[in-house]
Amino acid sequence: MDLNYTPEEEAFRQEVRDFLKENLSEELATKVRNGRELNRDDMVGWHATLQSRGWLAMTWPEEYGGPGWDAVQRHIFEEELALANAPRTVPFGLAMLGPVLIKFGTEEQKSTILPRILDGSDWWCQGYSEPGAGSDLASLKTRAVRDGDHYVINGQKTWTTLGQFADKIFCLVRTSTEGKPQQGISFVLVDLDTPGIEMRPIKLIEGGYEVNEVFFTDVRVPVSNLVGEENMGWTIAKYLLGHERTNIAGVGASYEALNQLKALARKVKRHGQPLAKDPLFAAKVAEVEIDLEAMRLTNLRMLFGSSDAQGSVSSMLKIKGTVIRQALNDLSRRALGPAAAPFPSEEVIGNYSVAPPEAASNAANYFNNRKLSIFGGSNEIQRNIITKETFGA
């Protein structure tokens, strides 16, 4: 298998770089580079910029408004966006619901919903996890009871990322209690303006607000909002999570984080010399870089071998990608020492800055990214998936 890029692929890479140079503002790139929290206008504006070029929904086929790229082009595009410190696109409508509707949705759902995702009319969030059903998603208890032409939904979802900006949510709900738990789950689309829905913020350890809990009390949803067949939700969930886990791997984002770490190690001094020359620290950086390169090659093998991000390969990428990103966060924190400690609200006291620019949000990002090995299916669960698919256990 030849993992080298063709001249056409390298030309495409240059086209992406030229686009980013012309359209990505330094202000927005700096915000991303320094780990600052993006607001709704930042994310919506960047989506509009990508859509103006037809590059927003990169996994969608051309007939639905996507660029029609192959897997390698998508990989190159994501890699260049990360290296340029462009914001990651909000995945819920674009990388999760969109592909689900294209594969399982009705023609009416496709024609109505997909264009509204592209033009920014709708902001979707994900209703999967519950207080007692996270990685063990089949244990979910949110019920949807059929009542004529509607489902009546009662229950609770948690860890709903960016739900405070959303006006729609796609949910896994229990429509049957017969048979195995996986067999009674359905995939339903819900308008967040529907009576009976309450969204409450969850404050994170570093003071940020990006996740929520959502309560459903006698929420009436049209049966036409069902995606696929009733009790088919587990099949759809596995398909969607394959896309999510590969996206979580973030190869390009980790390479950019590695570049920043190396630059920091050249700047910070220990015992009168750059930290980059410290043998122990340099060995730790080299270990992470070797793991990252191995993950990049695994990702490329998957891209050349199959267009579907499913099964044990996506689980392996999810595990390694999240572990590598956490290791980079940890090394950056260690390189900065006490300067890494302040949270964003503590960086300036009066007119005095207690941390250099490169330390901005370092502690907040370190704590926030502890979640990476948990969401999208915890790494422990992913290891079980790999074992079952590899050994049939």
Side-chain angles (χ1 to χ4, degrees):
M1 181 180 293
D2 185 2
L3 298 181
N4 293 308
Y5 294 106
T6 66
E8 292 77 15
E9 289 163 349
E10 292 293 359
F12 173 71
R13 184 186 296 276
Q14 188 58 51
E15 182 183 357
V16 174
R17 288 176 177 173
D18 292 342
F19 171 81
L20 292 170
K21 186 176 180 180
E22 295 172 6
N23 294 278
L24 177 62
S25 71
E26 182 56 34
E27 179 184 4
L28 187 55
T30 299
K31 213 171 181 180
V32 174
R33 184 182 305 113
N34 290 342
R36 297 298 188 182
E37 186 175 339
L38 301 182
N39 58 41
R40 192 181 195 280
D41 289 343
D42 291 329
M43 291 180 271
V44 169
W46 182 241
H47 280 214
T49 298
L50 292 177
Q51 179 58 13
S52 68
R53 185 65 176 264
W55 286 359
L56 178 59
M58 64 174 179
T59 62
W60 298 12
E62 289 182 89
E63 63 184 294
Y64 295 109
W69 291 338
D70 61 26
V72 177
Q73 286 175 302
R74 295 196 296 269
H75 172 76
I76 291 171
F77 182 69
E78 279 197 317
E79 188 173 60
E80 290 303 320
L81 259 62
L83 293 173
N85 292 295
R88 295 189 76 171
T89 54
V90 178
F92 307 110
L94 294 167
M96 297 183 186
L97 181 59
V100 162
L101 291 179
I102 289 169
K103 186 172 181 65
F104 299 100
T106 65
E107 290 306 315
E108 182 179 356
Q109 288 171 340
K110 294 175 189 178
S111 63
T112 302
I113 298 171
L114 295 179
R116 294 180 63 83
I117 293 175
L118 291 178
D119 67 17
S121 297
D122 293 335
W123 183 308
W124 288 86
C125 60
Q126 181 184 35
Y128 270 29
S129 295
E130 298 182 5
S135 294
D136 183 19
L137 197 54
S139 298
L140 67 87
K141 291 181 171 57
T142 296
R143 290 295 307 273
V145 178
R146 183 76 177 261
D147 181 22
D149 293 333
H150 287 76
Y151 289 111
V152 180
I153 300 177
N154 285 277
Q156 177 187 355
K157 296 295 180 179
T158 194
W159 308 125
T160 305
T161 304
L162 301 181
Q164 68 270 28
F165 298 144
D167 43 39
K168 312 280 185 182
I169 184 171
F170 54 88
C171 288
L172 290 180
V173 295
R174 184 160 299 286
T175 45
S176 174
T177 57
E178 297 180 2
K180 293 181 179 180
Q182 293 89 339
Q183 295 173 345
I185 295 172
S186 297
F187 190 101
V188 178
L189 310 177
V190 182
D191 190 325
L192 285 171
D193 288 335
T194 307
I197 298 177
E198 180 186 2
M199 188 168 299
R200 301 177 189 172
I202 298 175
K203 209 71 174 285
L204 299 181
I205 190 172
E206 87 286 1
Y209 168 32
E210 65 177 16
V211 294
N212 305 264
E213 51 185 349
V214 189
F215 295 86
F216 299 83
T217 304
D218 295 330
V219 177
R220 296 183 66 84
V221 177
V223 171
S224 59
N225 285 19
L226 175 72
V227 178
E229 299 176 7
E230 189 170 279
N231 300 326
M232 182 185 173
W234 190 252
T235 298
I236 297 175
K238 290 194 296 182
Y239 179 80
L240 184 152
L241 285 169
H243 287 265
E244 181 183 7
R245 287 166 188 158
T246 305
N247 192 41
I248 289 172
V251 177
S254 289
Y255 268 107
E256 176 56 20
L258 177 64
N259 292 338
Q260 293 181 29
L261 174 63
K262 288 181 175 180
L264 182 62
R266 291 191 295 268
K267 183 177 181 180
V268 173
K269 290 192 175 182
R270 294 283 193 276
H271 309 296
Q273 67 175 1
L275 183 60
K277 293 187 177 181
D278 178 271
L280 181 58
F281 189 84
K284 291 179 178 178
V285 174
E287 182 179 359
V288 174
E289 186 168 9
I290 291 168
D291 285 346
L292 179 53
E293 180 63 14
M295 184 178 70
R296 183 185 73 86
L297 293 174
T298 299
N299 194 40
L300 287 175
R301 285 200 298 270
M302 184 194 73
L303 295 178
F304 283 108
S306 171
S307 60
D308 289 330
Q310 304 229 10
S312 60
V313 176
S314 66
S315 292
M316 284 189 284
L317 289 171
K318 194 273 179 178
I319 293 170
K320 290 303 297 183
T322 55
V323 169
I324 287 169
R325 193 58 188 268
Q326 289 174 341
L328 289 166
N329 286 143
D330 184 51
L331 287 172
S332 178
R333 180 179 63 91
R334 291 175 181 275
L336 286 164
F343 287 163
S345 60
E346 304 166 333
E347 288 172 9
V348 178
I349 300 176
N351 294 321
Y352 177 70
S353 176
V354 299
E358 59 267 24
S361 302
N362 194 280
N365 290 333
Y366 171 81
F367 285 111
N368 187 282
N369 282 344
R370 304 316 298 168
K371 70 188 180 191
L372 295 180
S373 51
I374 300 173
F375 70 32
S378 73
N379 285 6
E380 290 75 17
I381 295 295
Q382 301 315 308
R383 292 185 178 97
N384 288 343
I385 292 173
I386 293 169
T387 301
K388 288 179 180 179
E389 293 205 6
T390 303
F391 301 107

